[in-house]
Amino acid sequence: MHDPALSFAVGVLGILVFLAVFGPLLWRKSPLLPDLGASLQPPSRAHPMGTDDVGRDIFARFNEGAQISLAVGAIVVLAGAVVGGAIGLIAGVTGSWPDTVLMRILDAILAFPPLILAMAVTVGLGAGAVTASVGIIITTIPYYARLLRSDVLKLRSQLFVEAAAAIGASPRRILLRHIAPHTMPTLLIQSAAVFGYAILTLAALGFVGLGVQVPTPEWGTMITDGLNYALTGQWWISLFPGIGVLAAVVAASIIADRARDILDPRGQYTFV
């Protein structure tokens, strides 16, 4: 059945991916080299998104920023799913003291607000794209782990798992053949939600100066740069990167919501 909201979200995300991959190839203007003679120009045919305070083309910087934001989002999703998923599977299958120890460590991480924890990690390791990614990944691991642990605990009591154990299947075979595949819907839904969260958190870190460092273009830092001129009429500097963040986060949220409707119709889980 056709879902207009899902089609819209996929289309928006597809446009952002296209701009990230092909934008720098099709739009040859440099996102880094200043041109003081063209500073603070409004959107025009020569500069579709205008220029910033030192004359850099904002459309070129927007495309580069899309590369960074989408790449960080994908890395966070992959790393969080692998590490958090492995922890959840191990905790759910082994039980006993390994489960208790792992869950208490995750509880300690969850005790901190995610953005504050990501900021603390970034400050401790030094501001930059890599350290910001590490900080965001750490904040996502507990959500993956707890959701998959919950799935595993439910699956362990299912008849097909008990039957596999009764006929002598090894714990490793039970985990990989009978339990792990049934956790994929939860993993996919959570990944869609985490993708939008990662982009928003990276922009927030860049906004406060702890993410990608200037002059490298990133949507959060571009918004910060534009705020200095928003009240004097140069609205385009921060507007377009803000639209990029909003579009990516809303599209990811819609996809996660629709994926939950399809894969978890009873709405058993709550995702970040």
Side-chain angles (χ1 to χ4, degrees):
M1 185 173 64
H2 179 66
D3 188 334
L6 181 60
S7 300
F8 170 78
V10 172
V12 168
L13 204 56
I15 291 173
L16 293 177
V17 171
F18 177 85
L19 291 176
V21 175
F22 297 105
L25 300 176
L26 300 176
W27 190 254
R28 294 290 185 171
K29 294 183 182 296
S30 172
L32 299 177
L33 295 179
D35 180 7
L36 296 178
S39 62
L40 299 178
Q41 290 188 0
S44 62
R45 295 183 64 181
H47 303 284
M49 293 185 179
T51 62
D52 62 10
D53 56 329
V54 293
R56 295 173 298 198
D57 184 80
I58 293 178
F59 185 49
R61 292 177 63 78
F62 180 93
N63 294 336
E64 292 286 340
Q67 282 188 350
I68 295 173
S69 295
L70 297 179
V72 168
I75 291 170
V76 169
V77 165
L78 180 61
V82 171
V83 178
I87 292 174
L89 291 174
I90 292 171
V93 169
T94 58
S96 189
W97 67 265
D99 181 25
T100 302
V101 171
L102 290 172
M103 290 303 103
R104 295 298 78 77
I105 294 174
L106 297 180
D107 287 343
I109 296 175
L110 288 171
F112 297 90
L115 180 59
I116 300 300
L117 179 59
M119 292 174 62
V121 172
T122 306
V123 169
L125 298 178
V130 175
T131 54
S133 300
V134 171
I136 300 171
I137 290 169
I138 291 175
T139 65
T140 64
I141 288 174
Y143 297 100
Y144 279 109
R146 283 196 163 276
L147 285 170
L148 264 70
R149 173 182 176 271
S150 176
D151 267 7
V152 171
L153 292 177
K154 294 177 181 178
L155 290 167
R156 284 175 56 185
S157 62
Q158 296 296 312
L159 291 178
F160 68 91
V161 175
E162 294 180 350
I167 63 176
S170 66
R172 180 175 178 273
R173 180 177 176 81
I174 292 174
L175 173 63
L176 298 180
R177 182 68 181 272
H178 301 287
I179 292 181
H182 288 83
T183 64
M184 292 308 296
T186 300
L187 193 64
L188 292 174
I189 300 170
Q190 178 67 6
S191 295
V194 164
F195 184 76
Y197 161 79
I199 292 176
L200 183 61
T201 305
L202 178 66
L205 293 174
F207 184 81
V208 297
L210 296 176
V212 178
Q213 299 299 292
V214 293
T216 303
E218 187 274 323
W219 287 340
T221 57
M222 291 172 67
I223 293 172
T224 302
D225 293 341
L227 290 180
N228 297 324
Y229 300 92
L231 297 179
T232 58
Q234 290 78 29
W235 47 269
W236 56 88
I237 302 177
S238 58
L239 175 65
F240 291 110
I243 291 175
V245 174
L246 178 64
V249 173
V250 170
S253 298
I254 292 174
I255 292 173
D257 184 66
R258 291 299 185 267
R260 179 169 56 184
D261 292 341
I262 296 170
L263 300 175
D264 179 34
R266 291 179 294 177
Q268 300 179 70
Y269 307 113
T270 302
F271 303 91
V272 297

